[in-house]
């Protein structure tokens, strides 16, 4: 068909020459030229007609339509050849420029998958069959081709197969396609239909092997088809599978496919570049991927550091590495510490270039200049932007000092650097002095070691005991008697001063704590007074209403006949004899006789009386291992043991349920559940936060807090969890299912916990746990600031703030060194009211704290501040006060 198309083109060109006198000769010539040009592009499409009826009808239809379109364009050109020729030339020129650009891009990076695909498409569109064959060959040598690419290639080659050699070439292509293990059923069917000879045994074996491999890949490909972009979790699982198999080409291909939709995920780039650095180690490929990584995620310092290492590893020119480092400095990192990290990576590279066997070299001077520039850059640029240098411990200066001491034998420069380190606020830390001491021990002399430790004893404030111990150890092994005496005197003096400072700090903290307690007590008294005043007003209102009701009573009402409330309760309770008389009446009539029903208040009092009669069973701590503590239950539960038993019997045989009641007989909302076996108790812990009558039920191990004060019931982590998100600002009506529907679009959601109060009401907060850190990071980028039911939510990585640890009694010391005891409360904790046992006549209003400075120090052990601030009185003074009454 290709030959026929070419023949028709030549005939069209020859027609005007046969009849030069015909009308419109020039138009015919131009139309023939245009038709020839168009048909040359349509050769590939026209040749599909020569494949016979055995080929896929869908593909044949596409080819025919393409051919019809081209012929239609040629026909239209006959009427307006100049206009169409101009449009065609412009499009052809545009395509040629794009082809040149793609070829240049592939000459730089031959592993650009999308560039290969675009080049093949354009070459095929332009009818460059020889070039498109070469482009496909190059791509197949690097990547396994997809089903569409293989079938397209096979169709084109079949259309040009005119002799035996061409047919052998098609056979080879079919075998290569089978070995790619991607789509083999359609390819094998086409091969079997096209081949006139029996299929070779080797091809059949490869086909069967391909089918076996296909079964392994199908779940991952189907997961990608079912998921929505960016499908990071599905790609991660696919990558894990490919890396286990270990085919480098396929691993690279799946990484490239994942990066098409996840090019802004730094973790994916890091994993890809790490694989190439450790496994393939192909220079062009490795550097190309690193370059693409920093271009897509320039804010990630880890990618720049890895890029510098890869360039050094593959011997890139020093000027190129320096230029790349300068680009990293202008990338706009988000933390001050990121600049310290990139500077450290570059300084390490410069240090490895130096030959320290020479006293002086160009590389050494460049290294020292870079250290100086790094310190200035952190001080000026970084500190101005972030209000911190990012290097509080002066790690860059420390490394510089170590290089000068160990590699350059320049202890003088090293000591100058350490002096600068100490003047930047590090002199109070023992570890900094000990680092300098170790450097002096290794490369200095004993005199400077002793001098450094003496300074450390005077300056260290965090762990002075450790520094003093190091000094005494050195003098014990190397010093003279005079050195020993001086060291002992200095250490004792310093430790005594440190103890005094610690005592003052403890006293200040104790005073602040006491002030806080007093303020809390004042607030409590104010609330109590306000509550009493409100109650008093309510009582007055009730008395007024009662008086109005009395005025409305009829004349003959006898007030003495109205019983009191207590009398009503007593009279309404039937006696034992009356109860016995009522039972025979019910039996004789065969049905129950209506009796008086007590009001709810009387029923409650009767239940309370019955529960008071129940003996209280003390908790047996020896059964803690088979017992769970259940709290936050609804107070309205009338029979907690009966209502809770079916719930806990699902975990194992329940021995006893002991609900706790108040003295009035009210259920207090918690109970103990004792099982027969320990495994049942462990299984019952999974019922924690289960909804019971609208409230989340808390189930925790039964632990004696007095014996285990460090035991924590809170089961959730309070540390940084990079795979978990904290979501705030949610509408209270948002359900767990609705939130999961939002979150699963960004990764695999393992768990969602909506935060509620003790009553089970939502607080608008939630924790979402993803399968990996990368998924959580992706979700933060996509969900933060999202609007959910008209609420703008905030999403961040879960990192709860540290809770304040209550001060231990050992930390509170009096000026004399003795412990200052805290106020000790009873077993029920601090009471509702802190009554003062001092007579009211002896109490005086509290004086301001500033006036007590000249008097005796207040004792924290006294309960009230009024007692401590009252002036001392003799027995005669007490007697006078009592006689005044």
């Amino acid at each position: 068909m290709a030959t026929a198309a070419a023949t028709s083109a030549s005939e069209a060109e020859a027609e005007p020459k046969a009849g030069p006198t015909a009308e419109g000769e020039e138009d015919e010539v131009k139309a023939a030229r245009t038709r020839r040009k168009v048909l040359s592009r349509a050769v590939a499409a026209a040749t599909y007609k020569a494949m016979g009826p055995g080929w896929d009808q869908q593909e044949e239809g596409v080819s025919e339509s393409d051919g019809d379109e081209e012929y239609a364009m040629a026909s239209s050109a006959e009427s307006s050849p100049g206009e169409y020729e101009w449009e065609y030339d412009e499009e052809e020129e545009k395509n040629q420029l794009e082809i040149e650009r793609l070829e240049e891009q592939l000459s730089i990076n031959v592993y650009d998958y999308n560039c290969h695909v675009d080049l093949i498409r354009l070459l095929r569109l332009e009818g460059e069959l020889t070039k498109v064959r070469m482009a496909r060959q190059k791509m197949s040598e690097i990547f396994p081709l997809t089903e569409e690419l293989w079938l397209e290639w096979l169709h084109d080659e079949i259309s040009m197969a005119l002799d035996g050699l061409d047919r052998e070439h098609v056979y080879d292509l079919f075998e290569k396609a089978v070995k790619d293990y991607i789509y083999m059923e359609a390819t094998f069917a086409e091969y079997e239909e096209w081949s006139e000879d029996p299929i070779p045994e080797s091809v059949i074996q490869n086909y069967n092997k391909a089918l076996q491999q296909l079964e392994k890949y199908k779940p991952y490909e189907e997961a990608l088809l079912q998921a929505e972009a960016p499908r990071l979790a599905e790609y991660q699982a696919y990558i894990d599978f490919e890396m286990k198999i270990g085919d480098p080409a396929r691993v690279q291909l799946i990484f490239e496919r994942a990066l098409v939709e996840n090019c802004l995920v730094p973790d994916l780039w890091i994993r890809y570049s790490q694989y190439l650095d450790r496994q393939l180690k192909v220079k062009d490929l490795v550097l190309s991927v690193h370059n693409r990584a920093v271009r897509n995620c320039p804010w990630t310092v880890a990618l720049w550091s890895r890029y510098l290492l890869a360039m050094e590893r593959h011997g890139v020119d020093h000027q190129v590495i320096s230029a790349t480092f300068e680009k990293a400095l202008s990338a706009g990192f988000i933390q001050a510490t990121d600049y310290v990290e990139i500077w450290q990576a570059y300084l390490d590279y410069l240090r490895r270039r130096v030959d320290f066997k020479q006293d002086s070299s160009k590389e050494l001077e460049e290294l020292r200049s870079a250290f100086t520039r790094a310190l200035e850059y952190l001080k000026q640029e970084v500190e101005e932007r972030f209000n911190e240098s990012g290097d509080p411990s002066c790690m860059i200066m420390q490394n510089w000092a170590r290089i000068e001491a160990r590699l350059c034998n320049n202890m003088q420069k090293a000591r100058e650097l350490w002096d600068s380190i100490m003047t930047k606020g590090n002199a109070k830390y023992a570890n900094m002095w000990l680092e300098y001491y170790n450097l002096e021990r290794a490369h200095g002399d004993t005199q400077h070691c002793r001098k450094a430790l003496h300074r450390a004893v005077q300056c260290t404030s965090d762990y002075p005991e450790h520094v003093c111990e190091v000094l005494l150890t050195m003098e014990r092994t190397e010093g003279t008697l005079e050195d020993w005496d001086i060291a002992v005197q200095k250490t004792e003096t310093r430790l005594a001063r440190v103890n005094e400072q610690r005592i003052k700090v403890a006293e200040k903290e104790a005073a602040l704590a006491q002030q806080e307690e007093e303020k809390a007590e004042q607030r409590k008294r104010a609330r109590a007074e306000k509550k009493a005043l409100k109650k008093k007003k309510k009582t007055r209102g009730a008395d007024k209403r009662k008086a109005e009701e009395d005025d409305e009573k009829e004349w003959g009402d006898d007030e003495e006949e109205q019983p009191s409330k207590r009398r009503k309760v007593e009279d309404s309770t039937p006696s034992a004899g009356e109860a016995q008389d009522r039972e025979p009446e019910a039996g004789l009539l065969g049905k129950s006789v209506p009796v008086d029903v007590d009001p709810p208040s009387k029923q409650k009092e009767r239940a309370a009386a019955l529960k008071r009669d129940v003996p209280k069973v003390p908790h047996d701590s020896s059964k803690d291992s088979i017992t769970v503590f259940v709290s936050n239950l609804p107070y309205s539960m009338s029979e907690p043991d009966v209502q809770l038993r079916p719930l806990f019997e699902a975990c194992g045989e329940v021995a006893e349920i002991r609900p706790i009641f108040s003295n009035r007989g009210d259920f207090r909302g918690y109970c103990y559940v004792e099982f027969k076996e320990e495994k049942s108790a462990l299984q019952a812990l999974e019922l924690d936060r289960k909804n019971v009558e609208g409230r989340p039920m808390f189930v925790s191990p039964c632990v004696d807090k007095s014996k285990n004060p460090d035991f924590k019931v809170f089961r959730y982590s309070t540390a940084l969890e990079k795979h978990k998100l904290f979501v705030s600002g949610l509408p209270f009506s948002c359900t767990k299912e609705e939130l999961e529907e939002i979150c699963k679009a960004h990764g695999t959601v393992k768990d969602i916990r909506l935060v509620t109060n003790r009553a089970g009401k939502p607080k608008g907060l939630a924790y979402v746990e993803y399968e990996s850190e990368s998924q959580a990071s992706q979700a933060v980028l996509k969900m933060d600031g999202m609007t959910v039911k008209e609420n703008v939510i905030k999403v961040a990585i879960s990192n709860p703030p540290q809770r304040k640890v209550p001060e231990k009694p050992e930390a509170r010391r009096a000026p004399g060194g003795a412990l200052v005891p805290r106020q000790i409360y009873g077993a029920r904790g601090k009471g509702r009211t802190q009554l003062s046992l001092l007579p009211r006549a002896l109490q005086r209003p509290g004086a301001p704290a500033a006036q007590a400075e000249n008097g005796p120090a207040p004792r924290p052990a006294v309960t009230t501040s009024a007692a401590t601030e009252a002036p001392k009185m003799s027995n005669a003074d007490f007697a006078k006060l009592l006689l005044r009454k």
Side-chain angles (χ1 to χ4, degrees):
M1 192 64 189
T3 307
T7 304
S8 64
S10 62
E11 291 175 357
E13 185 177 4
E15 284 177 359
K17 294 181 181 179
T21 60
E23 295 181 359
E25 178 182 359
E26 294 181 359
D27 293 341
E28 289 293 336
V29 171
K30 291 182 179 179
R33 290 176 181 174
T34 304
R35 189 181 300 109
R36 183 184 60 185
K37 199 176 237 184
V38 171
L39 290 177
S40 65
R41 294 184 61 200
V43 169
T47 52
Y48 285 139
K49 298 179 181 179
M51 285 189 255
W55 291 98
D56 189 2
Q57 296 299 323
Q58 182 178 0
E59 291 290 335
E60 182 180 80
V62 172
S63 302
E64 290 178 354
S65 63
D66 291 343
D68 294 340
E69 287 180 3
E70 298 290 354
Y71 281 111
M73 292 170 63
S75 300
S76 64
E78 295 180 0
S79 58
S80 56
E83 180 182 357
Y84 178 77
E85 187 174 2
W86 178 82
E87 292 178 356
Y88 171 76
D89 291 340
E90 184 179 8
E91 181 182 358
E92 184 180 20
E93 183 180 359
K94 182 179 178 181
N95 289 341
Q96 287 297 331
L97 291 175
E98 181 65 14
I99 289 173
E100 293 176 2
R101 187 192 69 80
L102 293 173
E103 290 177 344
E104 183 180 359
Q105 180 67 24
L106 287 176
S107 65
I108 299 173
N109 178 21
V110 72
Y111 296 96
D112 192 333
Y113 183 87
N114 294 326
C115 193
H116 279 285
V117 175
D118 293 340
L119 179 61
I120 292 172
R121 178 181 57 81
L122 286 176
L123 290 174
R124 190 168 184 267
L125 182 63
E126 289 295 314
E128 301 285 351
L129 300 180
T130 304
K131 290 186 177 181
V132 77
R133 176 186 291 175
M134 294 175 60
R136 286 165 171 164
Q137 185 65 32
K138 288 182 179 179
M139 185 177 181
S140 66
E141 292 173 357
I142 301 173
F143 300 108
L145 304 185
T146 63
E147 179 177 3
E148 293 80 7
L149 291 175
W150 268 121
L151 290 176
E152 188 180 79
W153 189 2
L154 289 169
H155 288 170
D156 291 349
E157 293 293 341
I158 289 172
S159 66
M160 294 184 295
L162 302 177
D163 53 17
L165 293 177
D166 292 339
R167 296 180 68 85
E168 288 294 330
H169 177 63
V170 174
Y171 278 115
D172 294 339
L173 284 181
F174 272 114
E175 290 186 0
K176 288 182 179 179
V178 169
K179 292 179 180 178
D180 273 350
Y181 306 145
I182 295 180
Y183 49 85
M184 295 299 98
E185 294 176 352
T187 304
F188 188 83
E190 295 213 11
Y191 181 31
E192 189 175 18
E193 185 175 354
W194 173 78
S195 178
E196 297 176 355
D197 302 325
I199 300 176
E201 185 64 26
S202 61
V203 175
I204 297 176
Q205 292 178 356
N206 286 333
Y207 170 68
N208 293 330
K209 183 179 179 181
L211 289 180
Q212 296 175 2
Q213 293 291 338
L214 178 62
E215 294 300 321
K216 299 179 182 179
Y217 291 106
K218 267 187 178 180
Y220 300 98
E221 292 291 345
E222 291 175 355
L224 289 175
L225 291 175
Q226 296 173 2
E228 297 180 358
R231 302 180 289 190
L232 180 60
E234 290 76 15
Y235 275 120
Q236 293 280 18
Y238 206 162
I239 289 171
D240 294 338
F241 171 74
E242 291 287 9
M243 293 184 72
K244 288 180 181 177
I245 295 179
D247 185 353
R250 292 200 59 85
V251 173
Q252 183 186 353
L253 175 61
I254 191 59
F255 268 117
E256 292 292 344
R257 291 174 63 187
L259 287 170
V260 170
E261 298 178 2
N262 299 276
C263 60
L264 300 181
V265 181
D267 291 344
L268 190 60
W269 284 109
I270 291 175
R271 190 178 182 188
Y272 187 19
S273 60
Q274 180 176 322
Y275 171 79
L276 297 178
D277 288 335
R278 297 179 179 178
Q279 301 296 330
L280 296 187
K281 302 179 182 180
V282 179
K283 178 180 178 180
D284 294 337
L285 173 61
V286 170
L287 295 182
S288 172
V289 170
H290 279 288
N291 184 36
R292 291 163 56 201
V294 297
R295 286 165 54 199
N296 282 277
C297 304
W299 63 86
T300 307
V301 68
L303 293 175
W304 288 101
S305 300
R306 290 171 178 271
Y307 192 13
L308 294 178
L309 288 172
M311 295 174 77
E312 180 186 2
R313 193 176 293 119
H314 292 283
V316 177
D317 186 70
H318 172 61
Q319 300 299 329
V320 178
I321 296 179
S322 299
T324 303
F325 167 71
E326 296 297 335
K327 289 181 182 178
L329 287 181
S330 59
F333 299 131
I334 59 178
Q335 297 180 20
T337 53
D338 292 344
Y339 288 93
V340 178
E341 183 176 344
I342 193 63
W343 267 110
Q344 193 62 64
Y346 184 59
L347 292 170
D348 292 344
Y349 157 71
L350 294 179
R351 194 266 306 165
R352 289 189 284 266
R353 295 181 68 243
V354 178
D355 183 7
F356 290 100
K357 295 179 180 180
Q358 302 178 8
D359 295 336
S360 178
S361 63
K362 180 181 177 181
E363 290 78 7
L364 180 58
E365 294 303 322
E366 184 179 2
L367 175 61
R368 286 171 173 164
S369 299
F371 270 113
T372 304
R373 183 190 167 200
L375 298 178
E376 293 177 355
Y377 186 91
L378 294 178
K379 183 178 180 181
Q380 297 176 3
E381 302 291 337
V382 178
E383 192 168 352
E384 181 180 352
R385 178 182 173 187
F386 297 97
N387 294 325
E388 59 169 329
S389 66
D391 190 14
S393 300
C394 301
M395 294 303 300
I396 291 180
M397 293 181 68
Q398 288 189 45
N399 291 334
W400 190 4
R402 295 188 189 99
I403 291 173
E404 294 289 352
R406 297 175 182 174
L407 302 177
C408 300
N409 298 320
N410 188 356
M411 276 303 299
Q412 182 62 32
K413 181 63 176 178
R415 293 182 184 117
E416 293 176 2
L417 290 170
W418 271 104
D419 285 340
S420 299
I421 292 172
M422 294 305 181
T423 57
K424 294 183 180 298
N426 294 299
K428 59 184 177 180
Y429 300 116
N431 65 320
M432 301 297 288
W433 284 107
L434 295 179
E435 187 70 26
Y436 175 41
Y437 166 74
N438 291 332
L439 192 66
E440 285 285 358
R441 291 287 290 181
H443 307 284
D445 50 45
T446 305
Q447 181 181 358
H448 283 91
C449 289
R450 182 176 290 111
K451 183 179 179 181
L453 289 177
H454 279 231
R455 290 176 60 192
V457 168
Q458 297 299 323
C459 300
T460 303
S461 60
D462 56 348
Y463 298 104
E465 295 88 351
H466 189 30
V467 176
C468 292
E469 183 181 355
V470 174
L471 174 59
L472 294 176
T473 301
M474 189 190 77
E475 299 297 359
R476 181 178 284 111
T477 56
E478 301 180 16
T480 63
L481 177 60
E482 182 180 0
D483 295 332
W484 171 260
D485 291 339
I486 294 174
V488 170
Q489 181 181 358
K490 284 192 174 184
T491 55
E492 288 180 350
T493 303
R494 176 58 179 166
L495 292 178
R497 187 161 63 250
V498 169
N499 288 333
E500 291 177 1
Q501 294 174 353
R502 290 175 178 173
I503 290 172
K504 290 181 180 179
V505 172
E507 290 176 352
K508 186 177 181 179
E509 292 178 353
L512 292 174
Q514 185 177 357
Q515 290 178 7
E516 290 296 328
E517 290 180 0
E518 291 175 357
K519 290 179 181 178
E521 192 65 31
Q522 291 176 2
R523 290 193 295 267
K524 192 173 183 180
R525 284 198 298 267
R527 287 196 298 268
E529 292 174 359
K530 186 177 181 180
K531 187 175 181 181
L533 182 62
K534 188 175 181 181
K535 186 176 180 181
K536 188 176 181 181
K537 290 181 179 179
K538 187 176 180 181
T539 306
R540 289 177 180 176
D543 293 342
K544 186 176 181 180
R545 287 193 299 271
K546 185 177 180 182
E548 292 175 354
E549 292 174 359
D550 292 342
D551 293 341
E552 294 176 358
K553 288 183 181 179
E554 296 181 0
W555 289 98
D557 288 345
D558 189 357
E559 189 173 341
E560 295 180 357
E561 293 180 2
Q562 301 295 329
S564 63
K565 185 175 181 181
R566 185 180 298 275
R567 182 67 175 274
K568 283 184 180 180
V569 173
E570 294 174 356
D571 294 344
S572 62
T573 304
S575 62
E578 292 176 354
Q580 292 176 0
D581 293 341
R582 290 177 182 174
E583 291 178 1
E585 294 177 4
L588 292 172
L589 296 176
K591 59 182 179 178
S592 60
V593 180
V595 297
D596 297 336
V597 179
D598 294 335
S601 60
K602 296 179 182 179
Q603 295 179 3
K604 188 174 181 180
E605 290 180 3
R606 185 178 301 170
L610 293 174
K611 288 171 182 174
R612 288 193 202 100
D613 297 337
V614 177
K616 295 184 178 181
V617 180
H619 175 66
D620 187 1
S621 59
S622 63
K623 298 181 179 180
D624 285 349
S625 60
I626 59 174
T627 306
V628 295
F629 178 69
V630 185
S631 59
N632 200 46
L633 294 169
Y635 300 115
S636 60
M637 296 182 73
S638 57
E639 296 180 342
D641 52 343
V642 177
Q643 294 173 259
L644 294 176
R645 184 172 291 274
L647 188 62
F648 285 97
E649 282 183 342
C651 304
E653 186 177 358
V654 177
E656 183 184 9
I657 297 180
R658 297 192 299 276
I660 307 301
F661 297 93
S662 66
N663 292 333
R664 296 181 299 176
D666 299 327
F667 178 51
R668 300 188 63 181
Y670 61 92
C671 65
Y672 295 90
V673 181
E674 181 183 329
F675 292 90
K676 292 288 186 180
E677 299 178 353
E678 184 175 353
K679 64 178 182 180
S680 302
L682 296 175
Q683 187 176 352
L685 296 176
E686 298 179 1
L687 297 176
D688 186 40
R689 312 281 169 166
K690 184 175 180 61
N691 191 284
V692 176
E693 295 188 8
R695 292 173 66 94
M697 176 180 65
F698 300 159
V699 183
S700 58
C702 189
V703 177
D704 190 352
K705 290 291 188 67
S706 61
K707 298 180 181 178
N708 300 277
D710 297 331
F711 176 77
K712 295 181 179 179
V713 178
F714 193 70
R715 65 172 182 170
Y716 301 106
S717 174
T718 57
L720 173 65
E721 296 179 281
K722 295 184 179 180
H723 66 289
K724 186 179 292 185
L725 303 183
F726 173 68
V727 185
S728 60
L730 288 169
F732 294 150
S733 59
C734 182
T735 63
K736 182 177 180 181
E737 291 75 16
E738 293 174 342
L739 182 58
E740 183 178 6
E741 189 68 24
I742 297 173
C743 298
K744 71 180 183 180
H746 311 294
T748 303
V749 178
K750 294 181 65 177
D751 183 42
I752 292 181
R753 177 168 65 92
L754 294 177
V755 182
T756 61
N757 58 17
R758 297 182 69 88
K761 304 297 182 182
K763 300 174 70 175
L765 309 175
Y767 288 92
V768 181
E769 182 179 355
Y770 278 95
E771 193 173 44
S772 64
E773 298 177 8
S774 59
Q775 295 179 13
S777 302
Q778 187 78 1
V780 170
L781 295 175
K782 297 295 180 64
M783 293 175 57
D784 188 33
M786 179 186 291
T787 301
V788 178
K789 294 184 179 180
E790 299 182 356
N791 283 34
V792 179
I793 64 173
K794 294 182 178 180
V795 183
I797 299 296
S798 176
N799 188 15
Q802 296 293 330
R803 297 191 177 187
K804 293 183 178 180
V805 181
E807 186 186 34
K808 295 185 178 180
E810 291 77 8
R812 298 164 59 95
R813 292 181 177 272
L819 292 175
V820 179
R822 286 185 178 272
Q823 184 172 354
I824 301 176
Y825 305 110
R828 293 171 60 86
K830 188 175 181 180
R832 290 181 177 271
T833 58
Q834 302 295 312
L835 298 178
S836 174
L837 301 180
L838 188 67
R840 188 174 301 171
L842 303 182
Q843 295 182 2
R844 295 289 186 272
Q851 298 179 2
E853 292 180 356
N854 296 331
R859 299 181 181 179
V862 180
T863 305
T864 60
S865 60
T868 59
E869 296 175 359
K872 294 184 178 180
M873 303 180 68
S874 62
N875 293 338
D877 294 331
F878 278 107
K880 289 178 182 179
L881 289 172
L882 293 174
L883 289 174
R884 289 176 187 173
K885 299 295 181 181

